[in-house]
């Protein structure tokens, strides 16, 4: 029932920035924990960042800590991922993921195939 639409991907040089957006419809936005996961060619999806349904708590994977920031705008039913100081290793397809209610940091880091998903937006970082 939920619909998630990502945007903002593109091609950027290392050290550059991108801002990804995910718009949700078909559900009550502030009852869902929201996250971003990414997938490089030939690899499984991996956790990137998440924000609690109330917006008070955020989680980040070790490779992106200090460089990425996740936030939400309840008035727009939108979650964003500000990506700074991009590295070649950040290349991949980025997916928006919605999970109803609360979700622990451990589950965000380890459970990568549940919830509702968008179609993904491609991020390419060149050296």
């Amino acid at each position: 029932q939920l619909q998630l639409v990502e945007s903002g991907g593109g091609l950027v040089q290392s050290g550059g920035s991108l801002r990804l957006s995910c718009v949700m419809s078909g559900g009550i936005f502030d009852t869902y924990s929201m996250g971003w996961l990414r997938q490089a060619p030939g690899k499984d999806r991996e956790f990137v960042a998440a924000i609690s349904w109330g917006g008070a708590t955020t989680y980040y994977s070790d490779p992106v800590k200090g460089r990425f920031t996740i936030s939400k705008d309840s008035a727009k039913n939108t979650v964003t991922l500000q990506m700074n100081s991009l590295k070649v290793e950040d290349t991949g397809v980025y997916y928006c993921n919605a999970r109803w209610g609360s979700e622990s940091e451990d589950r965000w880091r380890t459970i990568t195939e549940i919830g509702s998903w968008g179609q993904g937006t491609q991020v390419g970082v060149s050296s």
Side-chain angles (χ1 to χ4, degrees), residues 19 21-24 29-30 34 51-55 70-81:
R19 185 176 179 88
S21 296
C22 171
V23 180
M24 173 182 149
F29 183 66
D30 286 338
M34 305 294 295
I51 188 166
S52 62
W53 60 265
I70 188 170
S71 61
K72 63 181 291 184
D73 185 341
S74 296
K76 299 179 180 179
N77 287 1
T78 299
V79 60
T80 64
L81 185 68

Side-chain angles (χ1 to χ4, degrees), residues 22-61:
C22 171
V23 180
M24 173 182 149
S25 61
I28 302 174
F29 183 66
D30 286 338
T31 67
Y32 288 83
S33 297
M34 305 294 295
W36 290 93
L37 290 83
R38 67 189 181 188
Q39 186 171 24
K43 298 182 179 180
D44 293 331
R45 288 182 186 178
E46 65 172 351
F47 169 74
V48 176
I51 188 166
S52 62
W53 60 265
T57 306
T58 57
Y59 308 116
Y60 299 94
S61 66

Side-chain angles (χ1 to χ4, degrees), residues 3-6 22 45 93-98 116-121:
Q3 305 227 35
L4 304 170
V5 180
E6 303 100 331
C22 171
R45 288 182 186 178
V93 180
Y94 284 67
Y95 296 92
C96 184
N97 183 209
S116 299
W117 299 85
Q119 292 298 112
T121 185

